Amino acid sequence: MVTVAPQVERVQRKVVRVLTCTQALGSASVTIGLAFSTLVAASLSGSDAVGGLAQTAAVAGAALLALPGALLAQRRGRRPALILGYGMGALGAVVAAAAVSFGVWPLLLAGLVLFGGASSANYAARYAATDLAHPRRRARELSRVVWAAMIGAVIGPNLADPAGRAAASLGLPVGAGPFLLAAVVLGVAVLVIQLGLRPDPLVVVQSTRPVEPQHCAGGSGRPGGLRIWGTLGPMARLALVGVMLCHTAMVGLMSMTPVHMNHAGSSLRVVGVVISLHVAAMYAASPLFGWMADRIGRVPVLAVGASLVVAASGVAGMAPSHDAPQLAVGLALLGFGWSAGLVSGSALLTESVPVEDRPAAQGLSDLVMNVGAAIGGAVAGIVVTAWSYAALGLLVGFTALPLLVACLLASLRRPAG
């Protein structure tokens, strides 16, 4: 049986409090900055196509920073890596505000790439919560940080309009206001990490190397970048692929739902309610899935996530464009599936690699998540344009089915936990 020293438990409680705070701040800043980024980019460029590149640029930035951030964490700890992510996000927000002020849309896209660092730090924060966590509580600790993102996701979009009015009162373009506010919020997140994340949880765990049950496969070396894939065992690969597929399915189906509803003339208010329910489902149930993953096992809950994604694709995909209630149910199921897959998959990946290789494996996971999001959004648009939203639902469901089968087979081959 694994025991955890009382002082480690105290440090872990502090770590989770700090990460919960910064996750809320980081999530708020991301939603503040991205809420109207598409509209601002389209307005500056005069092109809807350029407007569509705005959020793609931020996703690309998060993907680009995932592996460098992981390498920095592996060498120096979580604190410098998180500061890098939030700091790059703050710099990107300032650049974006300047781009809006000068009316230069290519500079706006460049700023949004840097701004993606905030999302990268938010993803990495969930892993920081597992460093000192007791193995039997690892998923729950991770899920608490994921849940905190809901606070920012709810508050952030509502701050964009006041920020724009404040910027206008200072003689700045309205579109610069949200980015300037995001920069300030991210600056606060940097200060909280710098002052509060002491001692650094990853430095502590690397120095003490507590003995704990692991399902490790792979060498004891420290490969970086994409090379870490070659050292991963079956459970780590299942976790990484599971997180990526759930995230890709979520982005693909969610991104095209407003377009589908617009075909029936649904109001922005109705569309907003459906998307809000989806976002709430993504985060609100994460503590429940964390508890389930700790009690019944990571792989069974990953199977639950895959099942929910399959169900969501059927419910939403078969919904007529005017049937907002059915679409809301489908998107809520999709949010639950994403949450179950992210929490259980992240916990499974963490415990399936040696301590010294965890940051590299976690960075690879965040990289493929963001690449999957970019591909999912692009492919979803092509499928809906060429065929239909129902075809997209069918594609998403069939994409998630192999994950469900793999999880069920893995559950039969190993004990829960």
Side-chain angles (χ1 to χ4, degrees), residues 260-343:
H260 180 57
M261 297 181 70
N262 185 60
H263 291 161
S266 298
S267 67
L268 290 177
R269 182 179 64 84
V270 173
V271 173
V273 168
V274 171
I275 298 301
S276 295
L277 289 173
H278 166 70
V279 173
M282 287 174 60
Y283 300 115
S286 57
L288 171 63
F289 292 123
W291 176 84
M292 289 173 60
D294 284 335
R295 291 298 299 269
I296 68 175
R298 319 321 187 192
V299 176
V301 177
L302 187 57
V304 170
S307 301
L308 288 168
V309 170
V310 172
S313 65
V315 173
M318 292 187 296
S321 57
H322 59 80
D323 195 341
Q326 183 171 337
L327 287 166
V329 172
L331 268 288
L333 290 173
L334 184 66
F336 289 140
W338 175 88
S339 182
L342 183 77
V343 170

Side-chain angles (χ1 to χ4, degrees), residues 209-230:
R209 301 287 176 87
V211 179
E212 60 181 64
Q214 295 182 16
H215 310 288
C216 299
S220 59
R222 298 183 183 181
L226 299 176
R227 292 177 300 168
I228 188 67
W229 174 263

Side-chain angles (χ1 to χ4, degrees), residues 63-274:
L64 288 172
L65 200 61
L67 290 182
L71 179 61
L72 182 60
Q74 185 166 286
R75 292 179 175 176
R76 299 185 54 192
R78 298 290 187 188
R79 187 170 63 251
L82 293 176
I83 288 175
L84 172 66
Y86 288 130
M88 292 290 285
L91 175 62
V94 172
V95 171
V100 174
S101 299
F102 294 117
V104 183
W105 67 262
L107 183 61
L108 173 62
L109 295 182
L112 288 171
V113 171
L114 295 174
F115 188 63
S119 294
S120 178
N122 276 347
Y123 289 133
R126 77 186 191 277
Y127 286 122
T130 68
D131 290 332
L132 294 174
H134 191 287
R136 294 186 180 276
R137 293 187 54 84
R138 185 172 285 140
R140 274 171 283 187
E141 301 284 31
L142 183 151
S143 69
R144 288 175 60 188
V145 176
V146 174
W147 177 88
M150 182 176 64
I151 301 172
V154 171
I155 295 175
N158 296 302
L159 297 177
D161 183 58
R165 292 199 302 268
S169 68
L170 297 174
L172 297 172
V174 171
F179 291 113
L180 290 175
L181 179 58
V184 172
V185 174
L186 288 172
V188 174
V190 168
L191 286 176
V192 173
I193 290 292
Q194 175 63 30
L195 300 176
L197 204 62
R198 295 177 181 274
D200 189 299
L202 186 57
V203 172
V204 172
V205 77
Q206 286 177 338
S207 63
T208 57
R209 301 287 176 87
V211 179
E212 60 181 64
Q214 295 182 16
H215 310 288
C216 299
S220 59
R222 298 183 183 181
L226 299 176
R227 292 177 300 168
I228 188 67
W229 174 263
T231 72
L232 298 180
M235 287 298 103
R237 293 186 180 188
L238 175 63
L240 192 149
V241 172
V243 170
M244 183 271 290
L245 284 178
C246 288
H247 190 65
T248 301
M250 184 275 294
V251 172
L253 197 57
M254 179 272 294
S255 64
M256 296 310 298
T257 299
V259 176
H260 180 57
M261 297 181 70
N262 185 60
H263 291 161
S266 298
S267 67
L268 290 177
R269 182 179 64 84
V270 173
V271 173
V273 168
V274 171

